[in-house]
Amino acid sequence: MNTAISVLNRLHKTKTMLAGTAAVLLAVALSACGGPSSAGGDTAKSSTLTVGLSAQVKNVDPIYAYDFTTSPVTNQVTESLLQFDKNDQIKPMLAKSWKQPDATTYVYEIRDNVTFSDGKPMTMNDVIYSLNRYRDPSLASYVAWMYDNVDSIKQTGAWELTVKLKTPDALWKYASATSGTGIVEKAVVEKAGKAYGTVNGIPIGTGAYTISKWASGGDLTLQYNPKYWDKDGAGPDVKTIVFRPIEEDSTRVAAVTSGQIDLDLATPVDMINQVKQSSKVKLATNPSSGLRYISFNTKQKPFDDVNARRAVAAAIDIASIQKNVIKDSGIPTNYLLTPETLFVFNKETWKGYEKSAKVITYDLAKAKEYLSQSGYPNGFTFTMTVDSKTINNNVLLAFQQDLQKIGITCKINKVSNDETVSQQFGSGIKNGVRPYQGLMTEWSSDFPDPSGNLTPLLASSGGGDGGSNSAQYSNPTVDALLNKQLQSTDNTERTQLMLQILDIENQDVPYYVYTHQNWLFAYNPKITSGMSDASPFWYWNLYIKNFKIS
């Protein structure tokens, strides 16, 4: 372990030196292209905001826009029935009101004055078509799981929409405020076909911004939509948004600390000092509803063996890794799928459980015991798929060192961020089995509710193509408890049912949760409102139209 940390420290020093060089080179390069005035970074009263992304944007169709890179783009272009405000309360959006006359019925009154950015009026036909796209199995939407309990979606009045559920569902009300109900223009989608949402099929939405330029693999530029239905005086402070993919962490940090970009949505923890030392940038550290974890593929060897999973969990010295590697990017966890930001009801009960839960903790002797009880008493070799993010790779290097101590060899399969997300949602599945043995990834609840993590990660129905159960975990008892708590209207009963679920999951270990995430945002001080107060669910309610610029 000490050797691993020493290596990581040397890597950090090297990256720090490289970042300084990168900042100079980047500044020169951007000056040659027109400098800050073209990027919007250093012009105090500029109406342009340049946002650095940690990966390329490949598809902004809302049925696939389901990651921390793509959602912030889609949110500006496509709008949903409802929205979360900055306090994560549900507010009207394309639906001006809604009601729940009974446990399985939701009625939405849709606005009749909304236009798409091409000037065409939004019709009820567009609304019904858009919602049913999420349910189309041939499209394998990444958020199709939100519709698992939907029985029908029908127009029940001139501008009235009624959603009928098969059974009561505590989460549906939140789904309406995510991109899971993003409304698109039917004629545009049908004309673009399979290219819709890509650079060859640029979407048209009802949002405050429209995509004006998109270079494949490069910048994506949005302009304020003068036809926007929800006008507020002269419009937003930000008239132009440039989303700029900068996949290398050190280069992106150099860009934000030199003022060449205004906002970094994925600031790496090992470069925080550079951010803090820069006079051109501020740092926001906000709690999340998210997790970083290993998904053990329970349908592939060796992780179809519960004791193999337990052995890995017990062999990792996570306290040391938290202190030396994860640092401010996450908070210490007791391995639970429910961070404290999701303790939104029965808070004291959840806190008590957090302290007393029986979980697989770091214990080398127990790790060896679990290994001896598995089908691999002498150890085994497996491959972990991971994206290009610095934090994930540094954590994985430390994992490797710990696992070697009990005879487990972890090989690394490093792929693009986009490929990691694709595999997380079932890409490459064959004969019902996903292609990876282990997948290092992340998840944040879509809803301010503990079940926002439990249901998508544990329901057996999510193990297939398009599903978010990346461990392909299947337990009939857990499925029954999940369904029962979703159908309950009593939060105390729901809490007890969810704690029973956690009791089972803690011992089955389909996931190894190694930290509860913090969001780290480096941003230009000219942004006076919008980032420092970002909510745990910023990926749903980051509306740049609401940003205030000094």
Side-chain angles (χ1 to χ4, degrees):
M1 189 62 221
N2 291 335
T3 302
I5 298 303
S6 176
V7 170
L8 291 174
N9 286 337
R10 289 200 297 274
L11 285 173
H12 169 64
K13 291 177 182 178
T14 303
K15 285 183 178 179
T16 303
M17 295 169 62
L18 288 173
T21 304
V24 175
L25 293 175
L26 188 61
V28 171
L30 287 172
S31 296
C33 297
S37 61
S38 64
D42 276 343
T43 307
K45 295 184 179 181
S46 170
S47 62
T48 296
L49 191 78
T50 304
V51 182
L53 302 176
S54 62
Q56 294 180 22
V57 176
K58 296 187 177 181
N59 195 322
V60 289
D61 183 340
I63 71 172
Y64 301 121
Y66 196 43
D67 62 83
F68 305 126
T69 297
T70 311
S71 287
V73 179
T74 307
N75 290 348
Q76 317 314 318
V77 177
T78 308
E79 295 179 311
S80 303
L81 297 182
L82 306 175
Q83 63 180 314
F84 290 118
D85 66 13
K86 68 178 183 179
N87 298 314
D88 302 320
Q89 299 300 304
I90 299 173
K91 301 293 182 184
M93 200 172 215
L94 294 181
K96 61 183 179 182
S97 64
W98 72 99
K99 59 185 177 181
Q100 186 184 1
D102 60 57
T104 59
T105 306
Y106 288 78
V107 180
Y108 302 89
E109 190 67 24
I110 307 300
R111 297 182 190 275
D112 60 3
N113 63 336
V114 176
T115 59
F116 290 104
S117 60
D118 61 1
K120 304 276 182 65
M122 182 189 76
T123 68
M124 285 298 292
N125 194 26
D126 292 313
V127 175
I128 300 292
Y129 171 79
S130 299
L131 300 183
N132 279 323
R133 286 185 77 228
Y134 290 94
R135 305 173 68 199
D136 185 345
S138 69
L139 296 176
S141 167
Y142 291 167
V143 292
W145 66 270
M146 292 185 186
Y147 287 77
D148 284 349
N149 200 27
V150 172
D151 186 46
S152 65
I153 300 173
K154 295 180 179 179
Q155 183 176 352
T156 49
W159 289 95
E160 184 182 270
L161 168 73
T162 298
V163 176
K164 289 290 291 185
L165 305 179
K166 299 170 188 174
T167 58
D169 188 333
L171 296 183
W172 173 255
K173 62 182 178 182
Y174 301 120
S176 304
T178 73
S179 66
T181 59
I183 305 304
V184 296
E185 188 174 354
K186 180 181 178 180
V188 173
V189 178
E190 291 181 336
K191 182 178 179 179
K194 292 183 179 179
Y196 184 76
T198 71
V199 70
N200 296 314
I202 292 177
I204 299 294
T206 64
Y209 299 89
T210 184
I211 298 173
S212 61
K213 188 189 301 182
W214 187 358
S216 181
D219 286 1
L220 199 156
T221 303
L222 278 60
Q223 298 289 347
Y224 174 60
N225 171 19
K227 301 182 180 69
Y228 185 48
W229 63 273
D230 191 16
K231 290 191 185 326
D232 181 16
D237 286 4
V238 177
K239 297 297 194 295
T240 303
I241 312 169
V242 179
F243 287 100
R244 177 160 297 159
I246 307 176
E247 296 191 49
E248 173 55 47
D249 285 343
S250 59
T251 306
R252 195 173 60 259
V253 169
V256 74
T257 54
S258 63
Q260 304 302 331
I261 64 174
D262 301 306
L263 173 60
D264 175 13
L265 292 174
T267 304
V269 68
D270 58 343
M271 299 180 190
I272 281 180
N273 285 339
Q274 292 168 244
V275 173
K276 290 179 177 179
Q277 291 168 9
S278 172
S279 62
K280 296 188 176 183
V281 70
K282 287 187 175 182
L283 180 70
T285 303
N286 298 349
S288 85
S289 61
L291 323 162
R292 283 198 170 100
Y293 56 90
I294 297 170
S295 298
F296 297 114
N297 190 338
T298 60
K299 290 190 178 297
Q300 270 209 48
K301 295 182 181 302
F303 297 128
D304 57 349
D305 186 324
V306 66
N307 283 309
R309 305 194 297 267
R310 290 170 177 167
V312 170
I316 295 173
D317 184 1
I318 195 57
S320 177
I321 296 171
Q322 173 75 46
K323 178 181 178 181
N324 294 290
V325 183
I326 297 171
K327 302 176 184 176
D328 289 345
S329 69
I331 61 175
T333 168
N334 60 349
Y335 316 95
L336 295 184
L337 291 170
T338 48
E340 289 189 10
T341 52
L342 297 182
F343 296 174
V344 292
F345 46 77
N346 297 106
K347 185 174 292 187
E348 293 308 313
T349 301
W350 280 100
K351 285 187 174 181
Y353 183 82
E354 185 179 36
K355 293 177 181 178
S356 62
K358 295 180 180 179
V359 294
I360 307 296
T361 60
Y362 172 58
D363 186 329
L364 276 181
K366 287 293 293 184
K368 292 174 182 177
E369 182 181 333
Y370 289 134
L371 197 61
S372 70
Q373 294 170 358
S374 75
Y376 314 93
N378 298 317
F380 56 84
T381 298
F382 76 99
T383 299
M384 184 79 75
T385 298
V386 65
D387 61 22
S388 62
K389 293 176 184 174
T390 303
I391 181 66
N392 292 343
N393 282 270
N394 286 352
V395 168
L396 188 51
L397 288 175
F399 282 2
Q400 275 186 317
Q401 296 291 325
D402 283 351
L403 295 176
Q404 283 284 1
K405 295 175 184 177
I406 63 168
I408 297 176
T409 299
C410 174
K411 295 181 178 180
I412 297 176
N413 175 34
K414 188 174 179 179
V415 300
S416 68
N417 296 337
D418 184 68
E419 178 61 20
T420 303
V421 173
S422 294
Q423 291 197 32
Q424 183 177 4
F425 292 97
S427 176
I429 193 168
K430 291 182 180 179
N431 299 319
V433 181
R434 297 188 181 210
Y436 49 82
Q437 292 175 291
L439 180 70
M440 179 173 276
T441 188
E442 56 191 20
W443 176 271
S444 279
S445 175
D446 295 298
F447 319 122
D449 188 291
S451 189
N453 279 353
L454 299 185
T455 297
L457 296 183
L458 298 178
S460 59
S461 59
D465 191 8
S468 47
N469 179 348
S470 51
Q472 295 201 276
Y473 177 65
S474 180
N475 185 311
T477 302
V478 168
D479 281 342
L481 290 168
L482 283 171
N483 288 332
K484 189 174 182 180
Q485 65 85 21
L486 283 174
Q487 295 175 33
S488 173
T489 57
D490 182 335
N491 283 335
T492 298
E493 179 186 33
R494 291 188 65 218
T495 296
Q496 293 305 318
L497 292 168
M498 285 189 275
L499 297 186
Q500 290 179 49
I501 292 168
L502 286 172
D503 281 342
I504 297 169
E505 190 272 339
N506 291 339
Q507 296 306 308
D508 284 355
V509 205
Y511 301 100
Y512 176 75
V513 179
Y514 59 87
T515 195
H516 291 159
Q517 287 177 303
N518 281 329
W519 300 122
L520 301 177
F521 306 119
Y523 65 98
N524 191 313
K526 76 176 187 179
I527 304 173
T528 58
S529 176
M531 288 318 304
S532 61
D533 56 352
S535 85
F537 300 90
W538 66 273
Y539 37 89
W540 295 138
N541 60 13
L542 183 74
Y543 300 117
I544 293 177
K545 67 178 182 179
N546 297 331
F547 276 29
K548 297 300 179 185
I549 305 296
S550 63

